[in-house]
């Protein structure tokens, strides 16, 4: 197993790479993107540096790999952050120079389709950061959610333990990024519902692995960046969350079942399940439909875990996925899940 290390952190005033390893959506929706860049400068004191494919839709896998290489190789760049996710970063993976990146470790922030790059970095011995993207989190209308801002700032600039907290208020409804009026005020949120615990009779501390469930399914099918020996994940904390594609409960169960058949689920004594996104423009669920979707997903997860890892501690509705706020989780870093105390602490 490759030993894992936290890369050096940036400081205010440093240059940070902004890349689009998946989709060049900044070119289609400049409003949240420019807002995110402004906040990087003004609220975090960092100087964003864009790369050739950052704002370009339709860039090739080679062009995006070149941007990744350039960002990691530049000694003046102290961290790397994705503009947003997408759906084909898996095509970039075979083009990456593992030795170049391993020789130039830097904090990388991203989620969703960036699960690909996070898994690649973990297998290269580099702890990454699941969370934080320029368009979604930093480009949030009105203001950053305070819990997102606090977590992202801690992950960017500090090292050591950080205790996650359930969302005080949250949302999964979006507004049109093409409409300037979207950015006139903060989005509406609703009261937090807390976390739901199962098998919370133990303390688990281990290195995290996982990410967006749909992307993990693709990596499994392509047999990329998944450990050949599942025992490499023994004692770890599994992170799972679903995207705005809103996979059905049957799809969630089948992906988890396949992970169980491959011997993966059994390796993790703790699972953090992200709060599911239950609304999107193509699926504008009513509140009742949204609640049913979330409930069905939970039951699918429980069904799979009971079959393959019945003793695993499970925490549902942790805010690290496609909902708002978004807490940053170190990917390959240390996560402590304290069942008796109902506490989750990560090490940034």
């Amino acid at each position: 197993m490759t030993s894992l290390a936290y890369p050096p952190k940036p400081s205010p005033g440093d240059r940070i790479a902004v890349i689009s390893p998946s989709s060049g959506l900044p070119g289609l929706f400049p409003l949240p993107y420019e807002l995110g860049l402004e906040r990087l400068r003004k609220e975090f004191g960092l100087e964003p540096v864009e790369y050739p494919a950052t704002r370009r839709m339709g860039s090739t896998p080679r062009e995006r790999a070149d941007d990744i290489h350039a960002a990691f190789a530049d000694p003046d760049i102290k961290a790397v952050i994705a503009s947003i996710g997408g759906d084909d970063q898996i095509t970039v993976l075979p083009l990456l120079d593992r030795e170049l990146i391993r020789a130039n470790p830097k904090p990388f922030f991203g989620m969703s389709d960036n699960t690909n790059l996070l898994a690649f970095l973990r297998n290269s011995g580099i702890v990454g950061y699941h969370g934080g993207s320029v368009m979604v989190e930093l480009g949030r209308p009105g203001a950053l959610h305070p819990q997102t801002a606090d977590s992202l700032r801690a992950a960017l600039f500090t090292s050591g333990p950080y205790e996650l907290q359930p969302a005080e208020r949250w949302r999964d409804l979006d507004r049109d990024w093409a409409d300037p009026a979207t950015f006139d005020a903060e989005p509406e949120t609703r009261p937090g519902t807390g976390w739901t615990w199962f098998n919370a009779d133990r303390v688990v501390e281990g290195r995290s692995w996982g990410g967006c469930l749909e992307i993990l399914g693709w990596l499994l099918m392509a047999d990329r960046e998944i450990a050949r020996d599942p025992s490499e994940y023994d004692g770890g904390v599994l992170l799972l969350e679903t995207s705005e594609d809103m996979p059905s409960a049957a799809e969630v169960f089948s992906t988890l079942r396949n992970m169980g058949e491959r011997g993966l689920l059994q390796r993790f004594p703790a699972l953090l399940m992200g709060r599911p996104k239950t609304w999107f423009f193509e699926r504008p669920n009513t509140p009742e439909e949204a609640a049913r979707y979330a409930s069905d997903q939970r039951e699918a997860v429980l069904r799979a875990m009971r079959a393959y890892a019945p003793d695993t501690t499970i925490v549902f509705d942790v805010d690290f996925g496609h909902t708002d706020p978004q807490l940053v989780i170190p990917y390959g870093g240390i996560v402590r899940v304290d069942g008796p105390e109902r506490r989750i602490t990560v090490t940034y």
Side-chain angles (χ1 to χ4, degrees), residues 3-336:
S3 60
L4 282 155
Y6 287 84
K9 298 294 185 75
S11 299
D14 283 343
R15 291 156 62 87
I16 180 172
V18 177
I19 59 174
S20 296
S22 298
S23 175
L25 282 176
L28 290 183
F29 298 103
L31 294 176
Y33 179 64
E34 293 289 351
L35 179 57
L37 294 180
E38 180 182 8
R39 287 186 176 138
L40 278 174
R41 295 187 186 99
K42 294 184 177 179
E43 298 187 27
F44 291 85
L46 296 167
E47 183 55 41
V49 178
E50 297 183 59
Y51 286 73
T54 305
R55 298 187 190 229
R56 190 168 67 234
M57 290 294 293
S59 58
T60 67
R62 170 56 67 188
E63 289 168 333
R64 285 174 275 147
D66 287 347
D67 282 0
I68 294 170
H69 292 151
F72 275 89
D74 187 343
D76 291 333
I77 296 295
K78 303 304 182 183
V80 183
I81 187 168
S83 66
I84 197 166
D87 62 9
D88 77 335
Q89 195 177 110
I90 196 169
T91 65
V92 177
L93 290 180
L95 306 175
L96 295 180
D97 185 334
R98 194 178 300 275
E99 292 311 311
L100 180 153
I101 293 172
R102 183 181 282 141
N104 298 278
K106 293 172 183 177
F108 170 75
F109 291 79
M111 44 84 68
S112 193
D113 200 31
N114 293 291
T115 294
N116 289 282
L117 189 48
L118 289 167
F120 177 92
L121 291 171
R122 191 187 195 278
N123 289 338
S124 303
I126 302 170
V127 173
Y129 294 89
H130 184 283
S133 71
V134 176
M135 294 181 70
V136 181
E137 285 73 44
L138 286 158
R140 183 181 188 264
L144 279 167
H145 191 293
Q147 286 180 269
T148 300
D150 190 73
S151 172
L152 182 56
R153 184 170 286 106
L156 271 166
F157 299 127
T158 71
S159 299
Y162 179 92
E163 185 170 350
L164 306 185
Q165 299 292 337
E168 296 174 4
R169 298 191 64 84
W170 70 280
R171 71 174 176 101
D172 63 354
L173 273 68
D174 301 309
R175 296 172 63 191
D176 184 3
W177 276 348
D179 183 359
T182 292
F183 300 91
D184 290 342
E186 288 193 49
E188 292 186 10
T189 58
R190 43 186 150 162
T193 56
W195 300 331
T196 301
W197 295 71
F198 288 83
N199 296 334
D201 57 350
R202 67 194 70 116
V203 177
V204 175
E205 183 170 286
R207 292 192 177 272
S208 67
W209 179 82
C212 182
L213 185 66
E214 297 99 297
I215 306 306
L216 289 175
W218 297 353
L219 288 172
L220 286 161
M221 283 188 283
D223 198 21
R224 289 185 183 157
E225 302 304 326
I226 305 294
R228 296 288 182 181
D229 181 359
S231 68
E232 289 195 12
Y233 302 122
D234 280 355
V237 176
L238 181 58
L239 312 174
L240 295 176
E241 56 94 16
T242 52
S243 76
E244 74 276 7
D245 288 341
M246 295 169 56
S248 69
E251 292 173 296
V252 169
F253 173 78
S254 63
T255 301
L256 290 174
R257 180 186 60 197
N258 294 341
M259 291 174 68
E261 288 296 322
R262 186 154 174 168
L264 291 170
L265 293 185
Q266 304 90 316
R267 304 296 173 173
F268 298 95
L271 162 62
L272 305 185
M273 193 75 200
R275 184 190 300 278
K277 188 169 178 60
T278 62
W279 184 100
F280 198 56
F281 295 103
E282 289 80 12
R283 296 272 301 279
N285 282 337
T286 65
E288 293 76 20
E289 291 169 334
R292 185 162 57 250
Y293 176 86
S295 175
D296 288 347
Q297 182 179 110
R298 180 176 299 182
E299 288 305 311
V301 172
L302 289 173
R303 179 184 167 202
M305 297 304 289
R306 286 173 183 139
Y308 293 98
D311 297 326
T312 292
T313 297
I314 307 173
V315 191
F316 286 98
D317 293 337
V318 184
D319 297 276
F320 66 89
H322 281 72
T323 56
D324 175 43
Q326 185 189 84
L327 305 175
V328 178
I329 311 287
Y331 193 101
I334 300 298
V335 177
R336 179 182 174 88

